Amino acid sequence: MAPSKTSSSESAVRKTSKVERLLNLVICLLATRQFVTADYIRRSVVGYNDEGQSVEAFNRMFERDKTELRELGIPLVTGPSVVGQGHDGYRINRDSYALPELSFDRDEAAAIAMAATLWDTPEISAISQTAVLKLRAAGFDVRADDEIGVSAGDSPRSMGSEATLGALLTAIEAQRPVTFTYRAGSGSAGVTRTLEPWGVVTHRGRWYVVGHDRDRDDTRTFRLSRVTEVVAIDAPGSVVVPADTDLQQIVAAAVDSAAGSDGRTARVWVAADHAAGLRRLAQRSEPMEYADASGDVLDIEISSVTTLARMVLGAGADAVVLSPPELRDLVIGALDTMARVRA
């Protein structure tokens, strides 16, 4: 048994050494502007010169490493070495290796936020939200949930079943009407509805489908967790979304009309020209600087402390809760959890 354990341990060491060796090779070939020879790499790069191996063994290892780097997409190029006495040298083309400046259009930003939403287990949710906050901190416009209709950290139950969501998104993409069974409440009987779906959005932690209800001949909003048995009908292209339709506003109006405020008001500072979703909720706004940054203090009626906390967290460093203490503590606690996950 002892030899087997030793062999396993040595294998792990060799694996780690390979990763370090490849990383050292990349650093070396990025740092040079000239082509460096294989002999120089053997003598200078850690991982090649510390095993007392023969030139033939080094050559085999180096060939494998070059192939692996190229398979990883690293632009390793060959050219004449100035000091190589006629031998070829190697370096990495920096222009091809470096990433271009990144920017996201609205759909791409929505996709990132949607991905963060769907990572709903506690561990992954915290990590994904940390990643979104990092992107915002780096200046990328990953819009908050209230701005693009995607909430972070929602319960899977608020989304309904994957089959329901998938069928609705497919119908929306094909511009086809659907029929489905809808239960207005947990104790209600299911009713068949026919809808021309315009889109799926989230609001205050729940998912909704919005469209023209043929049965009521009016715009209607349906909570996805109460929708089942979705079936597409009619030909593709038969649904037309009215111009200038704001799905998020439609859902917000429908939900807010059914649920009143809890009577309290939150005061939230937001940076200038940021946190559009929080600004839309505000009853009043007044200019104010915070930590030497210009912005405004918003007065927002609280209908759900946890939902408002999500929106503040979604705005990242562009929103700070001033009151009430319950909301501020909730936001700080969530940030502490993210910090512990990162550590």
Side-chain angles (χ1 to χ4, degrees), residues 8 12 14-15 52 81 84 94 96 99 103 134 158 173 232:
S8 175
R14 284 197 298 273
K15 183 177 181 181
S81 173
R94 290 188 179 187
S96 300
L99 288 174
S103 63
K134 281 184 176 181
S158 70
E173 179 69 19

Side-chain angles (χ1 to χ4, degrees), residues 73-265:
I74 297 175
L76 179 65
V77 294
T78 304
S81 173
V82 175
V83 296
Q85 298 179 349
H87 293 286
D88 284 340
Y90 308 90
R91 66 181 177 88
I92 291 174
N93 186 328
R94 290 188 179 187
D95 294 336
S96 300
Y97 182 78
L99 288 174
E101 182 177 351
L102 297 178
S103 63
F104 302 122
D105 60 26
R106 183 178 178 83
D107 290 340
E108 290 168 336
I112 292 172
M114 178 71 78
T117 299
L118 297 177
W119 294 331
D120 47 39
T121 62
E123 299 84 357
I124 299 178
S125 177
I127 294 171
S128 65
Q129 294 313 303
T130 298
V132 171
L133 290 175
K134 281 184 176 181
L135 286 171
R136 291 197 186 111
F140 297 123
D141 185 19
V142 182
R143 290 181 173 84
D145 51 3
D146 49 281
E147 296 176 60
I148 62 173
V150 179
S151 285
D154 295 339
S155 164
R157 291 187 298 275
S158 70
M159 187 194 307
S161 71
E162 292 184 11
T164 294
L165 178 61
L168 286 172
L169 293 178
T170 300
I172 291 167
E173 179 69 19
Q175 298 177 293
R176 297 182 65 183
V178 295
T179 62
F180 54 79
T181 300
Y182 187 72
R183 290 175 173 80
S186 57
S188 303
V191 178
T192 301
R193 307 296 289 268
T194 303
L195 183 74
E196 298 175 6
W198 298 340
V200 171
V201 297
T202 65
H203 181 72
R204 296 182 178 175
R206 299 185 184 279
W207 292 62
Y208 300 85
V209 59
V210 186
H212 177 76
D213 187 338
R214 289 183 175 179
D215 303 304
R216 303 294 187 269
D217 193 25
D218 199 1
T219 301
R220 286 291 188 270
T221 297
F222 299 90
R223 190 187 299 181
L224 256 61
S225 59
R226 298 175 177 174
V227 173
T228 58
E229 302 172 1
V230 179
V231 177
I233 60 174
D234 297 349
S238 54
V239 173
V240 178
V241 181
D244 301 322
T245 298
D246 187 334
L247 300 181
Q248 197 71 45
Q249 187 176 32
I250 293 172
V251 173
V255 174
D256 292 347
S257 66
S261 166
D262 71 358
R264 293 179 296 167
T265 299

Side-chain angles (χ1 to χ4, degrees), residues 253-337:
V255 174
D256 292 347
S257 66
S261 166
D262 71 358
R264 293 179 296 167
T265 299
R267 288 179 61 80
V268 180
W269 177 88
V270 295
D273 301 321
H274 288 77
L278 288 170
R279 291 179 182 276
R280 283 197 296 268
L281 295 179
Q283 283 73 48
R284 288 171 297 279
S285 172
E286 60 182 79
M288 172 183 165
E289 286 195 356
Y290 183 86
D292 297 327
S294 61
D296 304 279
V297 172
L298 310 179
D299 290 345
I300 302 174
E301 287 187 4
I302 300 176
S303 59
S304 167
V305 173
T306 54
T307 298
L308 185 54
R310 285 196 194 102
M311 295 182 67
V312 171
L313 288 166
D318 295 323
V320 179
V321 176
L322 304 180
S323 66
E326 178 188 357
L327 176 61
R328 183 176 177 86
D329 292 345
L330 189 60
V331 171
I332 291 174
L335 291 174
D336 287 343
T337 300

